[in-house]
Amino acid sequence: MPKKIVKLMLLIGLSCLTLTGCWDSTEVNNRSIILELAVDKNTDYAYDTTKLIDDQPIYDIYYAIPDYGKLSGTNTLATNVETNIEVQAPTIGASIDDLETKNKNSVSFSHVKALLLGEELLKDPELFKRAMDSVSRDMLIARNVPLLAVNGDAKLITKVESEEQPILGLYIMDYFNNGERASSFFKKQLVGNYIREMDDTGVSTLPLFHTEKIDTTDPESKSTEIDISGAAVIHDYELVGYLTKEEVRSQLYIEGQIKNTPVVISDEGTLLSYTVKRQQSKLKFGETQTGPWCLIEIEVEGNISEYLSEEESKLISPQGLEEVKQAIANEIIKQINVGINKSKEMNMDFLGIGEAFYRQHPKMWMKYQPTWLSTSYRNLPISIGVDVSIQSTGISE
């Protein structure tokens, strides 16, 4: 037999060995796969001098482990398919050791789908920063894991079970990765991107997981309603306030991330709905004797999706179409100003205007950086220009 054929057969055989069986000595059935983590500050904690440091319950952490025996397929109708294990520990790292004492299997973080942080933890910059350092150090969880804030205790997510997807971590992952979803009410955040924003500007936003409708009086009750909208604004690892979904929409416009989003205007007493299919944004900066200025240029493309009026011929004439386009542009400017006004009120540049300023004009930026978050941003004149393109009016011309 020719040597080349022998070598080829040996290579194929070795390849088959690498494609079968477990890659290490632990079988899948003997692993507990963590799908989501909910991390809270233990507000009942007080330092206990009778306990060792590694026994101080500073964090309250819930680890969600799916019961694969109850699951079949991707659209299972099974309920109560997750086990939530509570661990109180002085650090995230120490909690893992405690977790494995409460679980017969070895624990794996290789498939974490979501990390949720409670409100009280977000208000404590030292604990918040320590928690993020712990989960990112040694790549405990991947940098592309969705990161969310909870406006209450993060442990309340254990009372949520979606009828669409009983495993919350998978629901959140699908929610973040759905490219066809109308993006106008929440901005997704990932662990790695959040850490980078903290290092670069010290300001970031986290999508907000709402808990207002969860019944906290009945320990056995489950909520089937999931609301992820708005955002928590973080400055130097500390919660400084919340954004409504309308204020987040402004942020998305400025970042050029709006798509499949309706804009409703009133035209002579009749409502007209325009759907933004694509959008681009460009920021420009200049300087006068009184200081810097910013111009936000927005381009949107979309279709008229609803307009019931006797004056529908208005969409055919060039003059009438221009009037509609101008009305849409004015409405978008109002929507963008909602977020700009909120950022000026908070004096917090969560819109990323300072970062864009630095990238375009680094020398000019150096003049205003020391006072950016004290006076320069608040006093920055910001003007908006919107160019509207209507690709389809929905009527035959």
Side-chain angles (χ1 to χ4, degrees), residues 46-328:
Y47 184 76
D48 189 344
T49 57
T50 65
K51 294 182 178 180
L52 297 174
I53 293 177
D54 63 359
D55 200 26
Q56 302 290 332
I58 298 174
Y59 290 98
D60 198 3
I61 308 166
Y62 284 78
Y63 292 94
I65 301 174
D67 184 348
Y68 288 107
K70 294 182 179 179
L71 297 172
S72 61
T74 58
N75 297 313
T76 177
L77 297 178
T79 59
N80 298 319
V81 296
E82 282 188 315
T83 298
N84 292 284
I85 300 178
E86 180 184 10
V87 178
Q88 292 185 330
T91 66
I92 306 295
S95 74
I96 299 172
D97 184 58
D98 290 344
L99 172 64
E100 292 193 326
T101 66
K102 298 181 178 182
N103 186 48
K104 68 182 181 65
N105 296 333
S106 61
V107 175
S108 172
F109 291 85
S110 59
H111 296 284
V112 174
K113 305 303 181 185
L115 173 60
L116 298 101
L117 307 176
E119 185 174 62
E120 293 303 317
L121 175 65
L122 298 178
K123 291 178 179 179
D124 188 323
E126 180 182 352
L127 288 186
F128 183 10
K129 191 171 185 177
R130 278 172 45 189
M132 293 305 300
D133 175 75
S134 180
V135 298
S136 61
R137 189 178 294 272
D138 294 331
M139 299 298 289
L140 176 64
I141 65 174
R143 293 294 182 103
N144 62 349
V145 169
L147 180 62
L148 300 91
V150 180
N151 66 337
D153 291 337
K155 67 181 180 182
L156 290 175
I157 70 163
T158 63
K159 296 176 66 63
V160 175
E161 189 173 276
S162 169
E163 295 178 345
E164 301 175 74
Q165 170 55 265
I167 297 179
L168 182 61
L170 294 178
Y171 178 95
I172 292 174
M173 181 189 68
D174 293 341
Y175 195 90
F176 271 53
N177 293 338
N178 187 345
E180 297 180 358
R181 180 187 303 279
S183 57
S184 64
F185 47 85
F186 98 107
K187 177 190 174 185
K188 69 179 183 180
Q189 184 62 281
L190 307 177
V191 169
N193 189 61
Y194 169 80
I195 294 173
R196 181 188 63 79
E197 290 177 350
M198 282 292 103
D199 291 340
D200 290 349
T201 66
V203 179
S204 185
T205 58
L206 303 179
L208 192 59
F209 190 104
H210 291 266
T211 62
E212 296 94 337
K213 296 182 180 180
I214 297 177
D215 183 7
T216 59
T217 60
D218 181 2
E220 300 299 324
S221 70
K222 289 283 186 178
S223 173
T224 59
E225 184 174 344
I226 297 177
D227 181 3
I228 302 175
S229 63
V233 180
I234 309 297
H235 178 226
D236 291 340
Y237 286 93
E238 184 175 10
L239 175 67
V240 295
Y242 291 115
L243 304 179
T244 65
K245 60 183 181 180
E246 290 80 16
E247 289 158 353
V248 169
R249 178 174 57 192
S250 171
Q251 181 186 25
L252 293 171
Y253 265 118
I254 292 172
E255 295 182 359
Q257 297 186 35
I258 288 289
K259 65 178 179 181
N260 301 326
T261 298
V263 178
V264 180
I265 63 170
S266 177
D267 181 62
E268 298 179 357
T270 300
L271 297 182
L272 181 149
S273 183
Y274 170 84
T275 301
V276 177
K277 293 297 184 181
R278 286 170 294 277
Q279 182 244 329
Q280 291 183 336
S281 174
K282 185 175 182 180
L283 276 64
K284 295 182 177 180
F285 300 90
E287 188 178 24
T288 65
Q289 292 181 346
T290 58
W293 53 263
C294 174
L295 170 62
I296 301 173
E297 294 182 338
I298 303 290
E299 294 182 4
V300 295
E301 297 179 5
N303 305 323
I304 303 296
S305 53
E306 184 178 337
Y307 184 49
L308 185 61
S309 172
E310 297 178 357
E311 301 295 328
E312 206 168 276
S313 59
K314 182 177 187 177
L315 299 179
I316 300 177
S317 70
Q319 180 180 350
L321 197 59
E322 285 301 316
E323 291 176 1
V324 170
K325 289 164 67 174
Q326 187 58 55
I328 294 170

